[in-house]
């Protein structure tokens, strides 16, 4: 899909990328306790005895968290393991009071799957690539340490401790920063459609560990570094760019890459070493004796599958094939689940008001949404979510255009008034007398006057200066205050001019 190469002194290098994305599961309660997961609470206000690791407390799996992870697995066409198990990953950290994290190493809930990413929506031909996903496992999040509150003190907030995460591990299938960016965006879109994670990277609901190595094309994989907790698409791309170039420099000056954990610094756009990377055996993983293996029955799996919405790829194909939208429009309208929902409500309203099948009015609805409404909202500092114009109100406006009651250019004025006043399109058109003139008598009269007033230009036109046709159209429209039916104006002018 892209041929990203780093040009070193010794020749061209290829970059190899694998991402481990941590996605916070959307659920009211934590993975093994009933404590709330809401963002922004007072520190330590949402900590149960289980989350605080009080001796003797027993974890109880939250069915909803498991359900969300299973639904996510289904959405990436992954194998769902009906039998899985939780393991303890042992390490000491001040924000992890248990002294271990409950995770899944040996038997994850979700096995192999994949997602298809599109690098450039404007160029749908040959620009998609399938990225393999190795597994999704479910685990607990840790708490948060704050070191800068007081010069001699550190604070710990355990609100996040025990919140359910899905760790979505990709195969090392990506070969450029752009591919990795497209992968994170697509994954985020899927999670938001499924409703299993809000995808809010600023609030830390989704963050990526970025594994990068370099090699000469065709050679075996090189040693990788892992840059932890990168929290935006742009930072993921910057991390890869910086880290790949750094590795090439090290290798070309005779050094070796060590497997290590690094940190990204958003201010400088660079990464720095944090610690040498542990291997799995360093954590002395073992099955958590407090938890029974998870066994899923068919009814549960069926319910999970039945609850999935139409997913972004299917929706995009339907918009292209059944509704006749361009690949670009279909891509933009399906990239955010909220946009797709808005568009579908608009389309339904427009089709109903015109008593036509959706496929006949879809292009007009898509074009209006993308080139009129979004631009107008943007100017007001608004978006679809807080739009003063509802999908139903938009449908009413589109129907006025579709039925020929108003022209496209008048529709722009009407939209502005709708945004200003909150009134409906029909009411505005009535009140302001904006109805399109489809009475050929009135148009003919206007045309006759304009041709008479511009006899010289009529001569020139007849002598071959055909570009003047536009002038006559413009004058007629002006005389009719923009309300003449443009098709009729064209027909009448053509007839009169011979
Ligand atoms: P760990 O759990 O120790 O981080 P994994 O084997 O699970 O190790 O791999 C973690 C991630 O690293 C995966 O996303 C994988 O695709 C990626 N990865 C593995 N080898 C390489 C490599 N040579 N270059 C880049 N990424 C790699
Ligand atoms: Mg890892």
């Amino acid at each position: 899909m892209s041929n990203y190469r780093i040009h070193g002194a010794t020749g061209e290098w290829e970059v190899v990328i694998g991402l481990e994305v941590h996605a916070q599961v959307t659920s009211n309660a934590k993975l093994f306790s009933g404590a709330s997961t809401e963002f922004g609470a007072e520190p330590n206000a949402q900590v149960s005895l289980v989350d605080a690791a009080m001796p003797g407390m027993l974890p109880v799996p939250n069915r909803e968290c498991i359900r969300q992870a299973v639904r996510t697995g289904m959405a990436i066409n992954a194998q769902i393991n009906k039998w899985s198990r939780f393991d303890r990953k042992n390490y000491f950290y001040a924000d992890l009071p248990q002294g271990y994290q409950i995770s899944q190493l040996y038997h994850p809930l979700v096995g192999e799957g994949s997602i298809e990413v599109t690098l450039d929506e404007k160029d749908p031909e040959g620009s998609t690539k399938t990225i393999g996903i190795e597994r999704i496992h479910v685990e607990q999040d840790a708490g948060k340490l704050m070191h800068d509150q007081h010069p001699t003190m550190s604070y710990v907030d355990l609100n996040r401790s025990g919140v359910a995460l899905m760790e979505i591990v990709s195969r090392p299938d990506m070969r450029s920063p752009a591919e990795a960016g497209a992968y994170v965006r697509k994954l985020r879109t899927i999670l938001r459609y499924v409703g299993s994670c809000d995808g809010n990277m600023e609030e830390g609901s989704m963050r990526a560990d970025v594994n990068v190595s370099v090699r000469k094309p065709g050679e075996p994989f090189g040693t990788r570094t892992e840059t932890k907790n990168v929290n935006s698409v742009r930072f993921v791309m910057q991390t890869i760019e910086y880290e790949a170039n750094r590795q090439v420099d090290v290798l070309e000056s005779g050094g070796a890459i060590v497997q290590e954990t690094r940190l990204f610094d958003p201010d400088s756009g660079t990464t720095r070493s944090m610690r040498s990377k542990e291997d799995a055996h360093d954590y002395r993983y073992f099955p958590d004796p407090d938890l029974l293996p998870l066994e899923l029955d068919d009814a549960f799996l069926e319910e999970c599958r039945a609850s999935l919405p139409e997913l972004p790829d299917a929706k995009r194909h339907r918009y292209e094939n059944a509704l006749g939208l361009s690949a670009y429009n279909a891509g933009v309208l399906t990239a955010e689940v909220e946009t797709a929902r808005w568009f579908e409500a608009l389309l339904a309203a427009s089709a109903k008001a015109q008593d036509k099948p959706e496929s006949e009015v879809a292009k007009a609805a898509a074009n209006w949404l993308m080139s009129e409404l979004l631009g107008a909202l943007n100017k007001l500092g608004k978006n679809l979510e807080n739009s003063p114009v509802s999908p139903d109100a938009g449908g009413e406006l589109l129907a006025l255009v579709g039925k020929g009651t108003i022209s496209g250019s008048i529709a722009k004025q009407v939209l502005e008034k709708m945004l200003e006043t909150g009134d409906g399109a029909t009411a505005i058109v009535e009140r302001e007398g904006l109805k399109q003139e489809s009475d050929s008598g009135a148009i003919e009269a206007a045309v006759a006057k304009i041709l008479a007033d511009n006899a010289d230009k009529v001569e020139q036109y007849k002598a071959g200066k055909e570009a003047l046709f536009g002038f006559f159209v413009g004058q007629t429209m002006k005389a009719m205050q923009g309300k003449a039916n443009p098709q009729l104006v064209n027909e009448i002018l053509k007839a009169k001019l011979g």
Side-chain angles (χ1 to χ4, degrees):
M1 139 160 125
S2 66
N3 204 15
Y4 179 85
R5 290 282 188 271
I6 291 172
H7 306 282
T10 63
E12 298 212 313
W13 295 84
E14 182 178 58
V15 49
V16 173
I17 304 144
L19 297 177
E20 297 159 275
V21 171
H22 288 94
Q24 181 179 326
V25 176
T26 301
S27 75
N28 296 327
K30 295 183 182 179
L31 180 54
F32 298 115
S33 84
S36 167
T37 57
E38 204 168 317
F39 181 79
E42 283 289 301
N44 298 309
Q46 298 172 171
V47 186
S48 74
L49 296 174
V50 175
D51 310 320
M54 291 296 155
M57 293 296 116
L58 287 176
V60 179
N62 177 341
R63 183 186 171 90
E64 180 60 14
C65 296
I66 305 304
R67 182 175 168 273
Q68 292 288 36
V70 168
R71 295 173 72 245
T72 305
M74 289 172 167
I76 59 159
N77 298 310
Q79 183 200 323
I80 308 300
N81 296 322
K82 290 172 81 172
W83 192 97
S84 66
R85 199 179 64 191
F86 288 104
D87 302 304
R88 286 188 182 178
K89 181 181 186 182
N90 298 280
Y91 59 102
F92 173 80
Y93 216 62
D95 59 10
L96 186 80
Q98 283 171 163
Y100 57 85
Q101 177 190 28
I102 305 178
S103 181
Q104 299 190 302
L105 177 69
Y106 302 106
H107 297 282
L109 182 59
V110 177
E112 276 190 75
S114 66
I115 68 176
E116 206 171 271
V117 302
T118 307
L119 196 56
D120 180 0
E121 281 147 352
K122 287 184 181 156
D123 169 29
E125 297 300 319
S127 65
T128 61
K129 178 172 173 177
T130 302
I131 309 292
I133 289 176
E134 209 170 288
R135 57 194 273 148
I136 301 179
H137 60 257
V138 180
E139 63 186 23
Q140 299 175 299
D141 206 348
K144 194 168 100 188
L145 291 174
M146 284 160 287
H147 301 293
D148 52 356
Q149 306 291 303
H150 187 281
T152 59
M153 296 232 253
S154 282
Y155 290 80
V156 63
D157 175 6
L158 294 181
N159 281 351
R160 224 171 55 194
S161 169
V163 164
L165 299 177
M166 295 180 277
E167 179 167 334
I168 305 161
V169 183
S170 88
R171 297 222 166 267
D173 285 351
M174 288 157 273
R175 294 288 178 274
S176 70
E179 278 184 21
Y183 170 81
V184 175
R185 278 199 304 273
K186 184 61 177 283
L187 185 57
R188 183 168 176 268
T189 299
I190 293 172
L191 294 173
R192 288 165 54 85
Y193 266 71
V194 170
S196 58
C197 169
D198 65 23
N200 193 332
M201 295 186 91
E202 302 81 59
E203 289 179 5
S205 309
M206 206 179 137
R207 44 194 200 263
D209 295 349
V210 183
N211 296 273
V212 176
S213 64
V214 296
R215 64 171 175 183
K216 291 280 173 65
E219 289 194 347
F221 285 161
T223 302
R224 72 189 150 106
T225 63
E226 178 187 39
T227 303
K228 281 276 185 200
N229 286 331
V230 184
N231 68 351
S232 82
V233 172
R234 189 162 60 90
F235 293 162
V236 166
M237 293 169 65
Q238 278 181 14
T239 296
I240 297 163
E241 188 91 46
Y242 176 82
E243 191 48 26
N245 280 285
R246 186 190 68 83
Q247 292 183 12
V248 167
D249 287 347
V250 169
L251 292 170
E252 292 200 328
S253 52
I257 302 302
V258 281
Q259 182 172 316
E260 63 178 354
T261 299
R262 300 180 68 88
L263 274 184
F264 177 72
D265 174 14
D267 295 328
S268 62
T270 63
T271 66
R272 67 187 147 81
S273 181
M274 183 164 85
R275 55 180 145 93
S276 70
K277 174 143 175 67
E278 310 78 359
D279 284 312
H281 60 251
D282 296 324
Y283 291 108
R284 207 172 57 85
Y285 275 96
F286 64 89
D288 192 310
D290 285 343
L291 287 157
L292 288 170
L294 276 179
E295 290 186 65
L296 309 180
D297 60 30
D298 291 331
F300 179 77
L301 295 181
E302 265 160 42
E303 186 282 318
C304 288
R305 196 172 292 284
S307 73
L308 285 178
E310 182 182 31
L311 292 166
D313 286 343
K315 206 182 262 305
R316 192 165 40 99
H317 293 140
R318 180 168 66 83
Y319 282 12
E320 281 185 59
N321 301 330
L323 298 180
L325 302 191
S326 69
Y328 176 70
N329 283 6
V332 173
L333 291 174
T334 55
E336 289 288 347
V337 65
E338 288 84 6
T339 314
R341 266 190 216 127
W342 214 100
F343 171 68
E344 288 178 15
L346 172 74
L347 183 56
S350 172
K352 185 156 177 262
Q354 298 180 70
D355 198 19
K356 283 191 175 164
E358 292 191 351
S359 57
E360 269 179 47
V361 296
K363 266 190 205 156
N367 288 337
W368 177 77
L369 173 56
M370 288 175 59
S371 46
E372 305 290 338
L373 181 63
L374 287 178
L377 288 174
N378 195 29
K379 268 192 219 147
L380 297 172
K382 292 190 182 282
N383 54 45
L384 289 178
E385 259 163 88
N386 58 15
S387 166
V389 170
S390 69
D392 278 349
E396 185 185 324
L397 175 61
L398 285 174
L400 291 178
V401 180
K403 289 182 193 155
T405 311
I406 58 172
S407 66
S409 58
I410 293 291
K412 284 184 216 253
Q413 289 179 37
V414 176
L415 174 59
E416 265 172 38
K417 294 253 158 61
M418 289 167 73
L419 289 166
E420 239 171 70
T421 62
D423 295 339
T426 313
I428 293 169
V429 168
E430 296 283 335
R431 184 172 71 214
E432 317 243 333
L434 294 173
K435 262 199 189 134
Q436 179 162 270
E437 188 58 77
S438 292
D439 168 10
S440 47
I443 300 174
E444 269 170 21
V447 165
K449 179 161 190 317
I450 281 154
L451 298 187
D453 291 351
N454 296 282
D456 52 333
K457 294 214 169 63
V458 175
E459 282 305 306
Q460 291 169 24
Y461 176 83
K462 288 190 172 157
K465 205 170 168 195
E466 286 181 11
L468 280 169
F469 193 77
F471 166 81
F472 297 124
V473 172
Q475 290 296 306
T476 311
M477 288 306 265
K478 200 168 146 196
M480 308 269 322
Q481 286 141 359
K483 285 180 279 179
N485 179 326
Q487 221 172 320
L488 270 180
V489 171
N490 270 293
E491 281 167 19
I492 292 168
L493 271 170
K494 280 211 179 100
K496 296 260 160 152
L497 287 164

